[in-house]
Amino acid sequence: MLGKLIKYELSATSRLFLPFYGALIVFALINKIFFSFKSSMPDFIIELTLSIYAIIIISIVVLTFIVMIQRFYKNLLSDEGYLMFTLPVQSWQHILSKLIVSIVWIILSIVVTLFTIFIMAFNSQMIPAILHFGKEFIINVSPLDKATLLMFLLRLCLTGLLSSTCTILMIYTSISVGHLFGKHRILASFGAFLGISFIMQSATSLFFVSFMNPIINKLEAVESTFTEFTDIMGTLFQASDIINLILSIVFFILTSFILQRKLNLE
């Protein structure tokens, strides 16, 4: 049933995201053409198309957060909730399906944006330059450093993924807590978000000041190999991952509990 929920959620949200992705690719191609004929194109036209391209990117970022909030609130905590909770599905499955789809759109938005940047930057010299860089990298970098770099990038991606997951679940928890109030639920949700954010930032700052100061000082003193640098950064990533993972589990359980036991759609 979880797969069906994810499929339904993707279908419902794709009609919002795909037109923006299409527009972003189209304006990337337009900008590429204008860049190719820059000497014969008026500057204001190039500036206009670049501005529209930037506005579309900003719109995608805003849309991601709006859809994330709107789909959770409208589907589960508004009148649609009566229908959604009549399905033979546990509350945690509703939460997980929306979380997965939100992460999918975040990743796709990043990939599409990077792809359009590549389109605009592409020229006949780019491919040979990339191949040359790759050849030089293989020749000059030791196998150990290659493995270290790969592991560093993977850990960086994992940290970003866990951080995004924690943020999304914090938003879900804030909306669910706000819905416990009889009146002014949207305002209460916003207040819950601010309160949770303040507690998280205070606790995280206290943790890093108390336990991570020696590591940060060591990082500032690094003057040697890339491997040592990535080892220290890996420690920071690990601490961040543990915090985000614990918080994500807490937010997920709390949100599921509220939807399962405290839900009030009146």
Side-chain angles (χ1 to χ4, degrees), residues 119-185:
I119 290 175
M120 292 190 295
F122 179 82
N123 55 50
S124 57
Q125 289 79 36
M126 177 177 286
I127 298 300
I130 293 175
L131 293 176
H132 177 73
F133 172 79
K135 183 178 179 180
E136 291 296 319
F137 181 83
I138 292 173
I139 293 174
N140 296 315
V141 180
S142 68
L144 180 61
D145 286 340
K146 293 173 196 173
T148 301
L149 177 60
L150 178 61
M151 185 60 63
F152 177 79
L153 293 176
L154 290 175
R155 296 189 74 169
L156 181 61
C157 292
L158 176 62
T159 299
L161 179 63
L162 286 174
S163 178
S164 299
T165 300
C166 184
T167 301
I168 294 170
L169 289 172
M170 183 178 71
I171 293 174
Y172 289 170
T173 301
S174 301
I175 296 172
S176 301
V177 170
H179 203 75
L180 296 176
F181 291 78
K183 297 180 180 179
H184 308 296
R185 289 175 173 174

Side-chain angles (χ1 to χ4, degrees), residues 207-221:
F207 173 81
F208 275 95
V209 168
S210 301
F211 298 98
M212 302 304 293
N213 240 359
I215 297 176
I216 295 174
N217 292 334
K218 186 178 180 182
L219 178 63
E220 293 175 348

Side-chain angles (χ1 to χ4, degrees), residues 187-247:
L187 184 61
S189 298
F190 183 70
F193 178 79
L194 292 179
I196 294 172
S197 298
F198 176 77
I199 294 172
M200 281 181 55
Q201 290 177 2
S202 300
T204 303
S205 299
L206 181 62
F207 173 81
F208 275 95
V209 168
S210 301
F211 298 98
M212 302 304 293
N213 240 359
I215 297 176
I216 295 174
N217 292 334
K218 186 178 180 182
L219 178 63
E220 293 175 348
V222 167
E223 297 179 355
S224 52
T225 66
F226 176 73
T227 302
E228 290 180 343
F229 171 80
T230 55
D231 285 343
I232 297 172
M233 289 300 298
T235 303
L236 292 174
F237 288 161
Q238 187 175 23
S240 176
D241 292 345
I242 292 173
I243 292 173
N244 283 323
L245 181 60
I246 293 173
L247 288 174

Side-chain angles (χ1 to χ4, degrees), residues 17-183:
F17 284 96
L18 295 183
F20 278 91
Y21 293 163
L24 193 64
I25 294 173
V26 167
F27 273 92
L29 291 171
I30 292 173
N31 285 322
K32 176 59 182 176
I33 294 172
F34 286 175
F35 291 159
S36 300
F37 300 95
K38 188 174 182 179
S39 58
S40 59
M41 295 294 299
D43 290 341
F44 80 91
I45 294 181
I46 297 176
E47 293 172 358
L48 177 62
T49 55
L50 276 175
S51 298
I52 295 174
Y53 173 81
I55 290 171
I56 295 174
I57 292 178
I58 295 172
S59 300
I60 290 174
V61 174
V62 174
L63 178 67
T64 302
F65 282 95
I66 290 177
V67 170
M68 180 196 314
I69 295 170
Q70 187 258 359
R71 293 295 300 176
F72 182 83
Y73 181 82
K74 185 178 180 181
N75 284 167
L76 301 181
L77 298 176
S78 68
D79 292 340
E80 289 185 18
Y82 288 105
L83 174 62
M84 296 300 290
F85 283 104
T86 59
L87 299 174
V89 179
Q90 296 295 320
S91 60
W92 67 267
Q93 292 177 302
H94 285 296
I95 299 168
L96 187 58
S97 66
K98 297 189 181 303
L99 172 64
I100 291 173
V101 171
S102 294
I103 292 174
V104 166
W105 289 123
I106 290 173
I107 294 174
L108 280 178
S109 297
I110 294 172
V111 170
V112 171
T113 300
L114 293 176
F115 174 68
T116 57
I117 293 174
F118 175 82
I119 290 175
M120 292 190 295
F122 179 82
N123 55 50
S124 57
Q125 289 79 36
M126 177 177 286
I127 298 300
I130 293 175
L131 293 176
H132 177 73
F133 172 79
K135 183 178 179 180
E136 291 296 319
F137 181 83
I138 292 173
I139 293 174
N140 296 315
V141 180
S142 68
L144 180 61
D145 286 340
K146 293 173 196 173
T148 301
L149 177 60
L150 178 61
M151 185 60 63
F152 177 79
L153 293 176
L154 290 175
R155 296 189 74 169
L156 181 61
C157 292
L158 176 62
T159 299
L161 179 63
L162 286 174
S163 178
S164 299
T165 300
C166 184
T167 301
I168 294 170
L169 289 172
M170 183 178 71
I171 293 174
Y172 289 170
T173 301
S174 301
I175 296 172
S176 301
V177 170
H179 203 75
L180 296 176
F181 291 78
K183 297 180 180 179

